Amino acid sequence: MKRNAVNVVPSTERLHHEEEEEYIYHETLGELNEQMRMIGLTEGDLQLLRQVRPQMEQRLDAIIETFYQSVLDVEKLKNIILEHSTIERLKQTLKAHLLEICNGEINEAYVAKRLRIAQVHKRVGLEPKWYLSAFQNLQNEFLRLIYREIKEEGQQVRLVSTITKLLSLEQQLVLEAYEKENANEKQLQYDIVRKELKQSIAAFVGELSDLTLDINEAVERLMTSSGEVATTFQSTSSATQGSISYAIEGEAKLADLAIQMKAIDESTAGMQHAVQELHDSSKQIAMIAVSVQEVAAQIKLLSLNATIEAARAGEHGKGFAVVAQEVSRLSEDTRTTVNRIADIVTKSRSIITEVVESINTVHRLTDEGKRQSEETKKLFSDIMLSVQSSADQMITAEKEMKLLSMTIGSIQVATSEAASSAENFKENTEQM
């Protein structure tokens, strides 16, 4: 490849003449060819280096000595050198390296060696800023050597330009290698972090999936339990409604019983009044019987007197004696009848007394029944109010259970979606 460029030659006369000059090109160097073209590094520059190589080689030891003296003044750089190598060994390595630059040959092996140097610098922990500072120091030593040893101005300019280009190329190669190493380290760290992240995410997703399954099972059990509880609530509510119906029916029957008890009480009162009247009549009959007995006694006394008088009358008093006998018999019959009436009255009084006592007992029992009926009615009313309140609470609880079942259902759907999302997340993680 040929391109137009300014050719700086050892002669001042040729310094300002333009002519064709060939840029460095190797098929194996790829993009590096464009970098060398961009900084203007040509085959003429390499040829110039080969020409001055003997002079440079004679001065390299002084340059290296000055260079390392400045490096060792930095404590951090000194520690790096002492930890990984020795000063003498590094001086020999740097001398060989600079001689390769002066050989004027840039090829694949040249580039590979610079990349290895950059890898070593990276491995021992030499930061780019110290590398650039040291390289600038080395360049300064080269430039002082050129200005001190080369007197002809044109040759000075050409050598300064060439050395600057070569050292710039060195820096480009090393910094690119640094950048690649950093990128590789970052990629490695990224791969490690990504792997750890994938493992962590996989473990987390696994735990989330297990947790979701556990939650799903718990929700399903809760759904089943809530369904059973809801069924129980419905059964209890139905039973409560039935209890309310029974309580209302019982209250109605108690009302009917109260009416019947009132009727019995009224009937008992009427019976008691009739018995009282019967008792009063018995008293009157007894008084009449006493009066009749007194009359019968008087009649008998009169009959006795009449018999006596008939006996005195003799034959004339026989008819009157018969009458007296009949009156005496009638008096006796009356007395017998009155006695029987007295016995009946006495027995009636005894029976009336028992009836009155029975009526009084029925009356007391009726009063007690009425009182208990009222208390039972009040108790039924309280039971009905309590059952009604319980029924209302059961209805409210049933509604809340239905709402809870709906909420649990929503949780189950959300849990299933979370499980699906976790599975998708796990699949996406595995594709990272």
Side-chain angles (χ1 to χ4, degrees), residues 339-359:
N339 287 334
R340 289 178 62 193
I341 289 172
D343 291 339
I344 292 171
V345 169
T346 301
K347 189 178 289 186
S348 296
R349 282 180 177 178
S350 177
I351 293 171
I352 288 170
T353 300
E354 291 179 359
V355 170
V356 169
E357 289 179 356
S358 298
I359 289 173

Side-chain angles (χ1 to χ4, degrees), residues 230-297:
T231 303
T232 304
F233 268 117
Q234 290 176 351
S235 301
T236 307
S237 180
S238 300
T240 304
Q241 293 297 330
S243 299
I244 292 174
S245 300
Y246 291 143
I248 293 173
E249 185 177 352
E251 190 175 20
K253 288 185 180 298
L254 279 175
D256 294 338
L257 179 60
I259 294 172
Q260 293 176 0
M261 293 291 289
K262 184 177 181 182
I264 292 171
D265 188 48
E266 290 175 354
S267 298
T268 304
M271 188 184 297
Q272 190 176 21
H273 180 70
V275 169
Q276 186 64 41
E277 289 182 351
L278 180 61
H279 182 66
D280 293 340
S281 297
S282 296
K283 284 183 177 181
Q284 292 177 3
I285 290 171
M287 290 174 64
I288 292 171
V290 170
S291 298
V292 170
Q293 281 182 343
E294 290 177 353
V295 171

Side-chain angles (χ1 to χ4, degrees), residues 140-262:
N140 293 340
E141 291 302 318
F142 267 111
L143 295 179
R144 276 195 288 269
L145 174 64
I146 291 171
Y147 287 126
R148 186 172 61 248
E149 299 294 333
I150 305 299
K151 303 304 182 183
E152 205 276 319
E153 183 179 356
Q155 191 176 23
Q156 281 183 353
V157 173
R158 182 66 184 269
L159 277 174
V160 168
S161 176
T162 299
I163 291 296
T164 303
K165 293 175 186 178
L166 260 296
L167 295 181
S168 175
L169 183 63
E170 288 271 327
Q171 290 178 344
Q172 292 177 40
L173 292 173
V174 172
L175 291 179
E176 184 180 5
Y178 264 107
E179 185 178 352
K180 287 181 179 179
E181 286 297 317
N182 286 329
N184 289 337
E185 285 184 1
K186 289 180 180 179
Q187 183 63 40
L188 182 61
Q189 291 176 353
Y190 171 74
D191 291 339
I192 293 173
V193 171
R194 185 179 66 174
K195 184 177 179 180
E196 292 177 352
L197 181 61
K198 284 177 65 176
Q199 292 174 348
S200 300
I201 292 175
F204 169 74
V205 170
E207 292 176 358
L208 180 60
S209 298
D210 294 340
L211 180 60
T212 304
L213 290 176
D214 293 340
I215 293 174
N216 234 350
E217 292 177 0
V219 169
E220 288 177 359
R221 290 196 298 270
L222 189 56
M223 283 286 291
T224 303
S225 299
S226 64
E228 293 174 354
V229 172
T231 303
T232 304
F233 268 117
Q234 290 176 351
S235 301
T236 307
S237 180
S238 300
T240 304
Q241 293 297 330
S243 299
I244 292 174
S245 300
Y246 291 143
I248 293 173
E249 185 177 352
E251 190 175 20
K253 288 185 180 298
L254 279 175
D256 294 338
L257 179 60
I259 294 172
Q260 293 176 0
M261 293 291 289
K262 184 177 181 182

Side-chain angles (χ1 to χ4, degrees), residues 100-101 105-114 166 170 173:
E100 286 180 358
I101 294 176
E105 293 183 9
I106 298 178
N107 50 34
E108 190 174 358
Y110 179 91
V111 174
K113 188 169 184 180
R114 269 69 193 159
L166 260 296
E170 288 271 327
L173 292 173

